[in-house]
């Protein structure tokens, strides 16, 4: 079985997330890469801190050059960040013919052109999915998924820290200062969160998106930047009165000969889907001349989402190295694996909450009969609406249930629909489940 | 310059969209593909209809096999749809060593495994970004962007027609029948829209996503399907009373040994971002074990968005054919092109609507002085809020403007801030512009 050796420089938050993904999902990563992806070496100045991940101490080194010079390492992953040593390490790795994966948005924004030229010169790839939008694969969307389009505009919520702060000001009526303190306390902001709240971080990410969208270098210094620190709670309240919320947006628009590129607090209509991007989430809303408007949304930072993005690049490069020219596109299932059919759970074994609308005659005791049958089938009711209004000659009785088993629901409804006080077949609608869904307890 | 020849089978809606993208965006497509992408032949039984696109009649044929047998054609694009001839054509093209691009969701859902095996056997690629979610690059997101993750769940609004109908029932209180009639009249539904409203189309797309997410074939017939035709307006109203809307969701959840895979009307919390997916839009909300929740949103059908997706696959395959093994990842700008720096418009040339909060003494004539200065700088006011409430010793006067030029705004604010009735620097926030944004006229 083919083996790809990865060398990681930087074992901080993102480095630890990357290692965690590679170890925990080793099996599927191997299938998708077409061979074993192995962590050969990790360099960090701090070899003592416990990252909560089992790593063989022998692969650790304090010398980044040990990793770069290791002849067995195929892919270098630069995760130390910043504009200094990181650039040297990337250039040296390329010089040695190694592909590079990085999450370094500052470096890409300010020296991207130099890195690109080096990659071109040494015929290696520079992959940087993790540099914008954390785990959201927006770089791939722009580079590949929308490659047939002229990009007309991009609006991004690219800094989770400032979005978290603005959400606190909007939803909890906090002052800017209190919202910052809360963000720091809960780990959504560094102390002080300078580059996040002054727009620099979002502008770095915008520079990267702009370069891809328009296929040319951009002068980072010319991107207009304004942060969120001067906003007052009354601005947030007045915005709401006008039907808006305030977001730190990174915006570019294609004007033909030139472009707009700017980061500043912006009023966003409450009707716009971007107004629903709350807390530490990031989103990119863009428009292409053929695709129309597109939105990409997810967690914009954090060890696990960013690790997910870094490893997606490692998998892509590994496939190229292993399969070469004719590397099939990633699955429809990995070709070289036993492809057993996926087993689907029959619908009557589903566990879900349910909505029922019973069409009943307006007589005493109807509700108790219905509730009795439901209870006998382990279906418990969470809310009921019964109003006097007649709909097509009967009174609707409407219920939401707690989680129940579909087979029990079907049995109960069949008994209920046989009652002589029911005038029509009961309408049953499943209630969406899963994390991220609210249920009725969270409503008002 | 390298040249890639594309043969297209099927010149209907999606075929015409594909040709339109290839012709209209020829230049950027060439740069991104690394060479000229040429339409060599197009097959369709109907050579007479006017598709509104200038195509040389000599490249048209009624014989699909003319396209497949043409030795100069590198990539076959199958856009006739359905389970019959389409499969034969794809298999024959692969046999001849040609890469295949298709938008055929029914065929992929019901015979995907057979096509995959053939692609593997003949060492060609089968690309199908356009088969799910129209222009949204969700196949790439799953195949590549999230390849480091175990997919835990997917919830998709995958059929624009039923979403349009449900939106009509929700927002205009239409009956199902009236909403269908409106959708047909406006071109969002076929007449009759059977496969769209009965859940089959969404289930086809779900089958494709499931196969990619879990890396194995799926038996399409076992996916539970329920359509939207039995929903009543009162269900939509009651749902709202409980804090929900009703969406036709395609759902899969990873249960470990087996999965859920089902399509049915589902109650979605109004707080959930999926509740904001309205009209003919599609969206995929998925959760990976590392990336957390991700959302992809855009137009799920239509000539132009689907053409965008088909051509993104053509570009990817062309790059592989031209650049081979070491094909650099797509740009940071195409390497072999003059990379002039992008020109950024200075911020003071921006045209935008603005929010102003003036901190003024509570005296007569203040508003008129402010308005006078704004008017003298071609800044016209669209809304004003002036309430008696004092904030930090002064009265806030808050305005939204129509579009104005930033340089004029800066000049005006500098004059206004010099007035002796102003107690603090004026807060200025730009109002988000661009299509998709609402402005104050659309509120309420």
């Amino acid at each position: 079985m083919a083996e790809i050796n990865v060398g990681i420089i930087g074992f901080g938050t993102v480095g630890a997330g990357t290692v965690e993904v590679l170890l925990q999902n080793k099996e599927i990563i191997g299938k998708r890469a077409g061979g074993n992806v192995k962590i050969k070496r990790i360099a960090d100045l701090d070899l003592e801190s416990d990252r909560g991940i089992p790593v063989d101490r022998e692969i650790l080194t304090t010398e980044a050059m040990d990793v770069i010079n290791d002849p067995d390492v195929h892919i270098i992953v630069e995760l130390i960040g910043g504009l200094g040593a990181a650039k040297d390490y990337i250039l040296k790795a390329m010089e040695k013919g190694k592909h590079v994966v990085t999450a370094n948005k500052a470096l890409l924004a300010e020296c991207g052109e130099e890195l690109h030229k080096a990659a071109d010169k040494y015929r290696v790839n520079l992959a940087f999915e993790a540099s914008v939008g954390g785990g959201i694969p927006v770089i791939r969307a722009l580079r590949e998924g929308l490659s047939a389009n002229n990009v007309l505009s991009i609006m991004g919520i690219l800094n989770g820290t400032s979005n978290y702060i603005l959400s606190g000001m909007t939803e909890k009526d906090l002052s800017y200062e209190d919202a910052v303190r809360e963000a720091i306390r809960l780990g959504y902001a560094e102390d002080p969160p300078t580059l996040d709240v002054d727009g620099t971080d979002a502008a770095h990410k915008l520079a990267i998106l702009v370069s891809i969208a328009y296929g040319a270098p951009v002068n980072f210094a010319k991107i207009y930047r304004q942060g969120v620190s001067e906003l007052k709670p009354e601005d947030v309240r007045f915005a709401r009165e006008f039907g808006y919320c305030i977001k730190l947006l990174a915006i570019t628009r294609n004007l033909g000969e030139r472009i707009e590129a700017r980061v500043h607090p912006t009023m966003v209509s409450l009707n716009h889907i971007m107004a629903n991007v709350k807390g530490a989430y990031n989103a990119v809303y863009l428009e292409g001349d053929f695709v129309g408007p597109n939105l990409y949304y997810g967690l914009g930072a954090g060890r696990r989402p960013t690790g997910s993005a870094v490893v997606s690049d490692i998998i892509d490069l590994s496939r190229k190295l292993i399969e070469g020219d004719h590397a099939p596109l990633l699955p429809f299932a990995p070709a070289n694996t036993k492809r057993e059919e996926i087993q689907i759970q029959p619908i009557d074994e589903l566990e879900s909450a349910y909505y029922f609308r019973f069409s009943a005659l307006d007589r005493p005791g109807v509700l108790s009969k219905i509730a009795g049958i439901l209870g006998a089938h382990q279906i418990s009711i969470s809310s009921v609406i019964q109003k006097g209004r007649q709909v097509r000659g009967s009174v609707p009785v409407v219920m939401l249930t707690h989680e129940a088993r579909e087979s029990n629901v079907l049995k109960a409804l069949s008994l209920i629909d046989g009652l002589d006080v029911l005038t029509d077949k009961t309408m049953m609608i499943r209630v969406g489940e899963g994390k991220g869904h609210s249920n009725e307890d969270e409503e008002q």
Side-chain angles (χ1 to χ4, degrees), chain A:
Chain A
M1 193 189 189
E3 187 160 272
I4 296 296
N5 290 315
V6 173
I8 296 172
I9 301 174
F11 200 20
T13 302
V14 180
T18 300
V19 171
E20 192 179 356
V21 184
L22 286 170
L23 295 179
Q24 189 175 315
N25 285 352
K26 189 174 180 57
E27 195 188 341
I28 55 163
I29 288 168
K31 282 184 187 163
R32 290 169 181 171
N36 188 28
V37 177
K38 187 178 160 188
I39 304 168
K40 184 83 192 324
R41 300 225 72 179
I42 302 173
D44 198 285
L45 295 178
D46 169 10
L47 300 185
E48 301 310 319
S49 297
D50 179 10
R51 280 92 173 174
I53 307 164
V55 171
D56 187 347
R57 285 192 67 89
E58 297 200 348
I59 69 170
L60 296 176
T61 171
T62 56
E63 294 295 329
M65 288 311 296
D66 288 353
V67 181
I68 293 168
N69 287 327
D70 185 330
D72 296 337
V73 166
H74 305 97
I75 298 171
I76 293 289
V77 183
E78 181 278 304
L79 300 173
I80 56 175
L83 299 176
K87 188 166 94 173
D88 291 341
Y89 294 148
I90 290 176
L91 292 174
K92 285 194 176 115
M94 288 177 169
E95 217 171 295
K96 290 190 173 292
K98 297 176 195 229
H99 297 304
V100 173
V101 176
T102 180
N104 193 332
K105 58 229 172 192
L107 184 60
L108 288 161
E110 305 201 24
C111 314
E113 178 66 357
E114 186 182 346
L115 299 180
H116 166 73
K117 283 189 172 150
D120 201 40
K121 176 174 172 192
Y122 296 109
R123 298 296 288 166
V124 295
N125 278 294
L126 174 63
F128 47 90
E129 184 60 72
S131 64
V132 181
I136 313 168
V138 64
I139 300 285
R140 257 183 201 78
L142 259 183
R143 274 183 148 179
E144 301 173 24
L146 306 179
S147 57
N149 290 262
N150 284 296
V151 173
L152 305 179
S153 65
I154 303 176
M155 289 197 307
I157 294 175
L158 299 178
N159 183 273
T161 302
S162 21
N163 203 50
Y164 187 87
I165 291 166
L166 291 176
S167 295
M169 292 177 71
T170 304
E171 281 155 33
K172 301 182 193 164
D173 276 323
L174 299 178
S175 69
Y176 172 77
E177 291 73 20
D178 289 344
V180 168
R181 267 192 291 274
E182 185 186 278
I184 291 170
R185 187 169 54 79
L186 297 175
Y188 290 109
E190 290 174 47
D191 187 4
T194 317
L195 295 184
D196 291 316
V197 299
D198 76 359
T200 302
D201 178 73
H204 279 145
K205 294 163 178 168
L206 179 63
I208 294 170
L209 295 182
V210 159
S211 259
I212 299 172
Y214 308 120
V218 64
N219 183 337
F220 173 70
K222 291 191 182 164
I223 295 179
Y224 175 82
R225 270 170 279 166
Q226 182 192 337
V228 295
S229 60
E230 288 177 18
L231 294 172
K232 301 285 176 213
E234 55 262 37
D235 294 315
V236 171
R237 283 197 300 271
F238 285 122
R240 196 182 304 136
E241 290 192 36
F242 284 121
Y244 290 92
C245 63
I246 301 176
K247 295 289 184 190
L248 182 69
L249 290 191
I251 298 173
T252 180
R253 293 172 69 196
N254 188 340
L255 304 176
E257 290 301 297
R258 53 187 193 165
I259 64 162
E260 290 175 11
R262 49 196 168 93
V263 174
H264 53 70
T266 311
M267 311 263 284
V268 175
S269 163
L270 293 172
N271 291 330
H272 195 280
I273 196 164
M274 289 292 269
N276 294 289
V277 178
K278 294 174 185 170
Y281 279 87
N282 278 20
V284 175
Y285 183 90
L286 61 79
E287 206 166 338
D289 57 351
F290 276 86
V291 79
N294 259 216
L295 178 82
Y296 307 89
Y297 164 95
L299 289 166
R303 167 170 160 160
R304 291 170 66 93
T306 312
S308 161
V310 169
V311 174
S312 75
D313 281 340
I314 294 174
I315 294 172
D316 268 9
L317 295 175
S318 298
R319 276 182 81 72
K320 282 194 161 212
L321 289 165
I322 293 168
E323 300 267 354
D325 208 2
H326 279 282
L329 296 174
L330 261 174
F332 247 48
N336 48 359
T337 305
K338 204 167 115 208
R339 289 168 56 77
E340 285 180 352
E341 185 183 305
I342 303 166
Q343 296 305 307
I344 298 178
Q345 172 185 270
I347 192 75
D348 64 358
E349 295 179 32
L350 179 68
E351 305 272 345
S352 173
Y354 292 84
Y355 159 98
F356 301 136
R357 176 172 49 79
F358 303 104
S359 304
L361 293 177
D362 194 5
R363 287 198 200 148
V366 170
L367 185 57
S368 115
K369 274 188 189 163
I370 291 172
I373 294 175
L374 293 176
H377 290 81
Q378 289 83 50
I379 302 162
S380 79
I381 300 166
S382 75
S383 316
V384 180
I385 300 176
Q386 184 179 15
K387 291 178 182 166
R389 56 184 169 189
Q390 296 239 336
V391 177
R392 285 189 291 275
S394 62
V395 175
V397 179
V398 182
M399 287 181 191
L400 286 186
T401 75
H402 290 294
E403 289 242 316
R405 195 181 174 84
E406 177 124 342
S407 55
N408 289 336
V409 166
L410 296 178
K411 276 181 228 157
L413 291 187
S414 138
L415 289 175
I416 290 168
D417 284 350
L419 294 174
D420 55 7
V421 292
L422 269 279
T423 59
D424 201 354
K425 191 163 174 293
T426 297
M427 169 62 74
M428 173 270 270
I429 303 175
R430 298 169 194 88
V431 178
E433 80 286 63
K435 228 163 133 183
H437 271 248
S438 307
N439 58 33
E440 73 287 350
D441 299 326
E442 294 162 45
E443 303 293 323
Q444 299 319 313

